[in-house]
Amino acid sequence: MASAHDRAVLQAIFNPTSPSGDVPGLNQEEELIDDDSGFEVGLLQQVKDLEMEGVTAAEAGDLPTALERFSQAIDTLPQRASGYNNRAQTRRLQEDTEGALEDLERAIALSGGVGRTACQALVQRGLLLRLACQDDKAREDFERAAVLGSEFARQQVVVLNPYAALCNRMLTEVINKLRNPEVSETQ
């Protein structure tokens, strides 16, 4: 089992836009886990080793090797969600948004929308949807990830709330008028 520090490092690598310390599950009483009980133990260990090799390659900036290791993990256990999520992160870093979205869709479907992998995949898909200006769909993913425990997703739900945005804009105007009354009088 990886330590909290290890999870934070991996989170920073694969989710560079998330705030520090936003490791899914750490903000909950019970940590999110993925159910790997249905897989043969030897194959599961082989896949986890391939995924760690992929993470190591990604940390070193060798994205082609990382992509290859994650693809090998998927080929070995195609019904395990984690490999698709990891490969999606690598594809995103390689600016293959379409491929990343396909892998995230598969990770979410295989995970049943629960567990650590689902939470991470929902956040990543939400970010990609937000970049594509699909804020309603992004908000849906962030809401689902927030329920699973992602603090970053909770923050994004607030940011994408149109009422909150309106209130923030109005509050900013009021504060600016209070800080600079002479500027607001001349306008």
Side-chain angles (χ1 to χ4, degrees):
M1 182 95 194
S3 70
H5 175 68
D6 293 341
R7 288 189 304 273
V9 169
L10 292 174
Q11 182 74 3
I13 291 166
F14 285 110
N15 301 310
T17 58
S18 69
S20 297
D22 184 26
V23 180
L26 289 183
N27 299 324
Q28 296 176 208
E29 287 185 28
E30 289 186 39
E31 184 175 336
L32 285 174
I33 57 170
D34 292 324
D35 183 11
D36 286 335
S37 63
F39 301 112
E40 193 270 312
V41 176
L43 283 178
L44 182 60
Q45 188 55 54
Q46 182 183 352
V47 164
K48 287 182 177 184
D49 291 344
L50 285 167
E51 288 179 346
M52 285 309 299
E53 289 175 23
V55 169
T56 300
E59 288 174 340
D62 186 359
L63 297 180
T65 298
L67 187 67
E68 180 182 314
R69 294 301 179 270
F70 295 135
S71 293
Q72 289 173 336
I74 289 168
D75 291 342
T76 304
L77 278 179
Q79 294 307 110
R80 187 166 182 266
S82 179
Y84 293 95
N85 188 61
N86 289 329
R87 187 170 71 181
Q89 308 326 315
T90 305
R91 286 180 163 179
R92 182 177 61 90
L93 292 171
Q94 292 180 316
E95 299 181 13
D96 177 7
T97 303
E98 186 177 321
L101 285 170
E102 288 173 8
D103 279 347
L104 292 170
E105 294 287 337
R106 187 77 173 138
I108 293 164
L110 288 172
S111 68
V114 296
R116 178 180 54 238
T117 298
C119 185
Q120 292 172 340
L122 287 163
V123 168
Q124 290 307 310
R125 187 173 70 179
L127 288 169
L128 290 173
L129 290 169
R130 188 149 186 231
L131 287 172
C133 299
Q134 297 180 29
D135 288 350
D136 289 338
K137 289 181 179 180
R139 184 175 43 253
E140 290 174 17
D141 280 352
F142 290 135
E143 287 171 351
R144 289 177 61 193
V147 168
L148 293 174
S150 172
E151 188 61 37
F152 177 74
R154 283 187 197 103
Q155 294 168 2
Q156 292 303 302
V157 169
V158 171
V159 168
L160 289 171
N161 180 329
Y163 298 111
L166 179 62
C167 290
N168 285 337
R169 189 167 38 251
M170 290 171 32
L171 184 58
T172 300
E173 288 175 16
V174 168
I175 290 173
N176 284 337
K177 287 179 182 179
L178 291 173
R179 286 184 179 160
N180 302 308
E182 60 279 345
V183 173
S184 59
E185 288 176 13
T186 60
Q187 293 179 343

